[in-house]
Amino acid sequence: MGGAVSAGEDNDELIDNLKEAQYIRTELVEQAFRAIDRADYYLDDFKDNAYKDLAWKHGNFHLSAPCIYSEVMEALDLQPGLSFLNLGSGTGYLSSMVGLILGPFGVNHGVELHSDVIEYAKQKLDFFIRTSDSFDKFEFCEPSFVTGNCLEISPDSTQYDRVYCGAGVQKEHEDYMKSLLKVGGILVMPLEEKLTKITRTGPVAWETKKILAVSFAPLIQPIHADSGKSRLVHLPPITVRSLQDLARIAIRGTIKRIIHQERMNKNGNGLKNPPRFKRRRVRRRRMETIVFLDKEVFASRISNPSDDNNNCEEIEEERREEEEKGISELKPDPPVNFLREKVLSLPLPDPLKYYLLYYREK
């Protein structure tokens, strides 16, 4: 699946292409996609393909095409504080993007069949938390992953506001998937070769919308134990945050608001300098007149003696602008983590500073 948009040179260009093609349509989804580099979830030998609109699979590792993830994120209509269940959570790429939108008071769970993929997802999650500046730009709902077959979830498990299944669902399992959803919730899954959005409007009422044609590998059927009983999957418990953790969230939020106000004041109540636009240059062209007379063609040219000088000046000006542009592109401004700088400047004991920064690396 994929190939709907052009490949990008980097993650931002890929997102630009998805926006232009209307796969990404809302600001929240765009921010989440830009915050997490898709290439970080590829094995090193395959990173060259990370910014192509193509699915990737190697052994048990799999990523859907960017255009598919875009449609999924838009269809889920994610909001802060919701609960999310990812069936076939894979590398954790989608779960991490969702976590940026759910915020610190959401619930973010994933079920994955293969234990090696779970370990890979945990490694990628740890790398994102420790090293990405995007982590400090959001309040993150960290995903929790469990190993098991998503068709064997314990019947006493809680229901969720949003559910996504990343494998083809057979018609016989449609009701099972719906049972995982709260009233008012949204389920997105590949059903009968169509990416389908199902909204639970009441205890037994549903609205169904087909989004686009897709081709997904089907869900793997459970393999029962020798006793004939299925291996029930117990989802992570929904826990209440500690007072210490809540205090950290509140302090970080206050610092972010202070930083935002300081930057607004510095820029004149948020009004930045107007962007510089490149002056549109109009070239002077020589005028040619074609005259038809008695089946013969005569061409006359009206020229300006100053044209040649003007053209030379314009070419020289273009050359200078290209050189200046090249120099500026070679020296981009380094990104600044304002939250980290502010926390480290506070008159606090170092252990408390590092706690506020989640013990992250610089």
Side-chain angles (χ1 to χ4, degrees):
M1 285 299 299
V5 300
S6 302
E9 291 294 327
D10 55 25
N11 195 66
D12 279 328
E13 188 172 330
L14 172 63
I15 308 313
D16 291 340
N17 295 339
L18 291 168
K19 279 190 65 182
E20 184 178 357
Q22 288 294 299
Y23 284 100
I24 293 178
R25 300 179 289 277
T26 58
E27 185 177 354
L28 274 178
V29 171
E30 179 187 351
Q31 289 174 351
F33 268 88
R34 291 194 189 279
I36 297 184
D37 196 320
R38 181 176 168 90
D40 289 343
Y41 290 79
Y42 274 67
L43 293 170
D44 289 342
D45 292 342
F46 301 92
K47 286 184 183 291
D48 290 344
N49 295 321
Y51 306 123
K52 297 177 181 178
D53 187 33
L54 297 172
W56 170 67
K57 181 173 175 58
H58 181 76
N60 292 328
F61 302 121
H62 175 263
L63 283 168
S64 292
C67 67
I68 300 297
Y69 281 137
S70 302
E71 288 287 4
V72 169
M73 291 278 284
E74 293 287 358
L76 286 170
D77 190 20
L78 297 161
Q79 303 295 331
L82 295 180
S83 57
F84 172 67
L85 177 62
N86 189 356
L87 303 175
S89 52
T91 64
Y93 172 64
L94 178 66
S95 292
S96 293
M97 287 196 294
V98 169
L100 296 175
I101 298 177
L102 297 183
F105 304 114
V107 175
N108 194 355
H109 293 164
V111 180
E112 169 56 43
L113 182 63
H114 304 288
S115 58
D116 59 329
V117 180
I118 288 279
E119 290 305 312
Y120 185 81
K122 290 179 178 179
Q123 292 171 16
K124 294 303 179 182
L125 175 62
D126 180 65
F127 178 79
F128 169 72
I129 292 174
R130 286 188 297 105
T131 65
S132 175
D133 277 343
S134 295
F135 181 84
D136 282 335
K137 296 176 183 177
F138 298 80
E139 289 301 331
F140 187 50
C141 181
E142 185 174 335
S144 297
F145 305 113
V146 296
T147 307
N149 191 306
C150 65
L151 293 174
E152 297 181 302
I153 292 175
S154 176
D156 60 358
S157 297
T158 185
Q159 293 176 317
Y160 291 79
D161 297 303
R162 301 291 187 267
V163 178
Y164 170 66
C165 181
V169 177
Q170 294 85 351
K171 189 67 177 177
E172 63 195 82
H173 298 306
E174 181 180 356
D175 288 342
Y176 168 85
M177 293 293 175
K178 290 178 176 179
S179 71
L180 302 172
L181 202 59
K182 292 180 180 179
V183 173
I186 295 173
L187 164 66
V188 178
M189 62 181 176
L191 181 66
E192 298 182 314
E193 302 298 312
K194 294 285 193 301
L195 188 64
T196 305
K197 175 181 179 179
I198 298 176
T199 304
R200 188 169 192 173
T201 58
V204 292
W206 312 85
E207 288 182 358
T208 302
K209 178 184 177 181
K210 305 293 185 182
I211 301 174
L212 77 164
V214 292
S215 177
F216 277 65
L219 283 171
I220 295 177
Q221 300 302 307
I223 299 175
H224 295 297
D226 295 337
S227 62
K229 296 181 180 179
S230 62
R231 302 180 181 90
L232 291 180
V233 177
H234 296 280
L235 297 173
I238 297 177
T239 58
V240 178
R241 289 185 178 271
S242 67
L243 183 59
Q244 181 174 312
D245 197 16
L246 291 172
R248 172 166 58 182
I249 293 168
I251 293 170
R252 284 169 62 94
T254 300
I255 294 173
K256 286 180 181 179
R257 287 191 292 273
I258 292 172
I259 293 171
H260 177 68
Q261 187 61 49
E262 288 176 347
R263 296 185 69 187
M264 285 185 64
N265 294 338
K266 183 178 180 180
N267 293 326
N269 293 325
L271 297 176
K272 298 180 180 179
N273 294 328
R276 294 179 61 187
F277 294 97
K278 186 175 180 180
R279 179 172 61 87
R280 184 178 179 184
R281 184 178 293 106
V282 179
R283 288 187 177 277
R284 298 179 179 85
R285 295 186 178 182
R286 294 182 174 90
M287 182 184 298
E288 294 186 351
T289 304
I290 308 297
V291 180
F292 294 89
L293 182 63
D294 293 334
K295 298 182 181 180
E296 294 188 22
V297 180
F298 298 89
S300 65
R301 174 173 294 169
I302 303 173
S303 60
N304 188 325
S306 64
D307 279 352
D308 291 338
N309 290 335
N310 287 337
N311 286 337
C312 291
E313 291 174 359
E314 290 171 357
I315 292 172
E316 179 63 22
E317 185 179 348
E318 282 185 346
R319 185 185 64 79
R320 287 196 300 269
E321 287 183 358
E322 290 298 325
E323 288 179 354
E324 292 172 0
K325 180 181 177 183
I327 293 172
S328 64
E329 288 178 349
L330 288 174
K331 298 179 180 179
D333 293 333
V336 179
N337 188 327
F338 293 103
L339 177 66
R340 185 181 186 88
E341 288 189 350
K342 179 67 75 173
V343 170
L344 292 177
S345 69
L346 295 174
L348 297 172
D350 284 347
L352 180 53
K353 292 180 183 179
Y354 298 141
Y355 177 74
L356 290 173
L357 293 172
Y358 287 86
Y359 305 103
R360 299 178 64 245
E361 298 174 3
K362 185 173 182 180

